[in-house]
Amino acid sequence: MDKQKQQLSIEVARLYYQSDYSQQEIASQLGISRPTVSRLLQFAKESGYVEIKVTDPFADLDALETALQEKYNLKEAHVVFSPTTEYTTITDFLSKKGAEYLEENVKNGDILGVSWGTTMYEVAKKNPATRRAWRRSYSIKRRN
């Protein structure tokens, strides 16, 4: 195997995967064609110099939902993904999922008992039915 090709493919892979250079930027920097960069990246993968790992944050969510259902004998459990551990981000993702769930599952005439807190407030703000009710209430108050 050509050692120069191996080294060049590793250099191209580092620029592409670690430094986020585009294939065109690598080609310009190294004085080679963009198709050559593409072939070198493929060679690096096939040679085992590059391993691509896709982490699916949702894969574990299904298993966790099932475990919760079994452990606590629940009809349903929903686990929500958040891309960060910041409180406001978690609250945003939880409240969106909560609002979607309510919109899909709660029917006119259903009684819903909830606690109160920041997340529940955000759920109410994001729920389309709540927004419609607030708009109706606001327009009635404005007429008086």
Side-chain angles (χ1 to χ4, degrees), residues 30-127:
L30 299 178
I32 57 179
S33 70
R34 199 216 45 81
T36 299
V37 170
S38 180
R39 284 191 294 276
L40 287 167
L41 288 170
Q42 186 62 36
F43 175 78
K45 281 194 273 186
E46 290 169 356
S47 300
Y49 305 139
V50 172
E51 293 180 10
I52 298 175
K53 178 184 173 192
V54 176
T55 304
D56 182 356
F58 301 104
D60 292 339
L61 299 183
D62 292 338
L64 186 53
E65 288 173 350
T66 301
L68 286 169
Q69 287 172 320
E70 291 171 359
K71 182 172 182 169
Y72 296 106
N73 196 29
L74 303 171
K75 288 183 182 179
E76 290 181 58
H78 299 277
V79 178
V80 179
F81 168 77
S82 175
T84 71
T85 58
E86 293 177 20
Y87 177 78
T88 54
T89 304
I90 293 170
T91 301
D92 185 50
F93 277 76
L94 277 173
S95 60
K96 283 178 186 173
K97 180 67 173 182
E100 289 170 9
Y101 182 84
L102 291 175
E103 182 71 15
E104 293 168 6
N105 294 285
V106 177
K107 297 165 199 66
N108 200 9
D110 284 353
I111 298 172
L112 182 65
V114 296
S115 63
W116 194 243
T118 305
T119 303
M120 291 308 300
Y121 173 70
E122 292 297 325
V123 168
K125 282 178 31 181
K126 289 178 176 69
N127 187 303

